[in-house]
Amino acid sequence: MLSRLRRALARRRLKDPAYDFLFHPAPEGEVVSVDCETTGLDRHNDDIITLAAVRVRGNRVLTSQKLDLVVKPSRPIRRDAVCIHHLREQDVERGLAPREAVARFLRFAGSRPLIGYYLEFDVALIDRLVRPWLGIGLPNPRIEVSEMFYDWRTRGREELYTGTVDLRFATILEALDIPPLHNHDAFEDAVMTSLAYLKLRARAGRQSR
């Protein structure tokens, strides 16, 4: 009820009616996995340099329906960030303007639920570009894969479990028997997150029977 009210209020605040499709019913059984690489890890100040997304329909990751964009940032890439994703200034200098990249993402994702690994960080960076322009943040429902993993690890042993759950991405992939691709490549991270989502959703279904 509360989420429906929030969406209704967001729809009223939307500045550009061309983006009303963000509030249309999502295609049945579809979600979008999203990932960004950035100039650093400060969600309030750093910029997106790559933005990737892939659609998931039912039990299939649709790698033919993907978005894989390079974005030109407004600030230098931090050295420690380069060590993580190996993208340098010259690799992104011909990238899209941030608003154009986000516009393409909005058209690609539509109103589909978003899935991600630490999705809050990616959404915060996208929202920084969307809010001044459309007057709202992303209205899409969100599914956090690390939360799904935590629930799967602890389900059924709440009274016995006293430790912590290792939520590192590599640990999640290994536990789910998903071969690692090229970490910190936005598109490949989005694909691996999609595979983790499908495996966790299937295991949650088996546990609830």
Side-chain angles (χ1 to χ4, degrees):
M1 178 67 181
L2 186 58
S3 63
R4 285 206 300 269
L5 179 60
R6 285 175 176 162
R7 282 178 63 82
L9 291 173
R11 194 172 192 175
R12 291 180 63 180
R13 291 198 303 269
L14 181 65
K15 291 181 178 178
D16 187 343
Y19 288 86
D20 189 67
F21 64 82
L22 294 171
F23 297 94
H24 293 178
E28 184 71 24
E30 289 195 15
V31 298
V32 166
S33 176
V34 58
D35 189 78
C36 300
E37 297 301 330
T38 61
T39 56
L41 297 177
D42 184 342
R43 69 177 68 184
H44 301 294
N45 293 297
D46 280 309
D47 289 346
I48 297 170
I49 55 173
T50 56
L51 171 58
V54 62
R55 288 179 183 154
V56 178
R57 180 181 301 149
N59 295 320
R60 296 173 55 211
V61 180
L62 304 178
T63 53
S64 62
Q65 297 185 24
K66 68 175 184 177
L67 196 71
D68 193 2
L69 306 174
V70 176
V71 186
K72 184 175 182 177
S74 64
R75 67 195 71 236
I77 304 174
R78 297 173 192 262
R79 184 175 298 177
D80 53 347
V82 173
C83 292
I84 294 172
H85 49 56
H86 305 298
L87 291 168
R88 306 158 299 169
E89 306 287 342
Q90 56 265 44
D91 296 320
V92 300
E93 63 182 0
R94 294 187 178 180
L96 294 170
R99 178 165 158 171
E100 172 59 23
V102 170
R104 292 190 189 191
F105 169 73
L106 295 178
R107 289 192 288 270
F108 179 84
S111 59
R112 295 168 180 83
L114 303 178
I115 61 175
Y117 176 74
Y118 287 117
L119 181 60
E120 182 181 355
F121 178 78
D122 299 304
V123 168
L125 287 160
I126 294 170
D127 276 352
R128 269 181 41 213
L129 296 166
V130 171
R131 286 188 187 282
W133 165 32
L134 296 182
I136 61 170
L138 292 173
N140 309 61
R142 299 165 198 176
I143 302 168
E144 173 55 54
V145 165
S146 63
E147 289 182 8
M148 294 177 70
F149 183 75
Y150 182 90
D151 289 345
W152 172 61
R153 281 295 207 197
T154 60
R155 188 168 297 150
R157 47 180 183 162
E158 289 84 355
E159 295 181 359
L160 301 175
Y161 185 76
T162 57
T164 57
V165 176
D166 185 348
L167 297 177
R168 288 176 295 176
F169 196 46
T171 302
I172 294 174
L173 296 179
E174 183 178 3
L176 298 174
D177 198 25
I178 297 172
L181 300 175
H182 183 195
N183 277 353
H184 300 296
D185 173 290
F187 175 66
E188 295 195 2
D189 282 353
V191 170
M192 289 187 287
T193 300
S194 302
L195 295 172
Y197 163 75
L198 290 175
K199 287 209 169 189
L200 288 166
R201 191 183 65 177
R203 294 181 186 200
R206 285 199 296 269
Q207 285 178 328
S208 64
R209 290 172 192 162

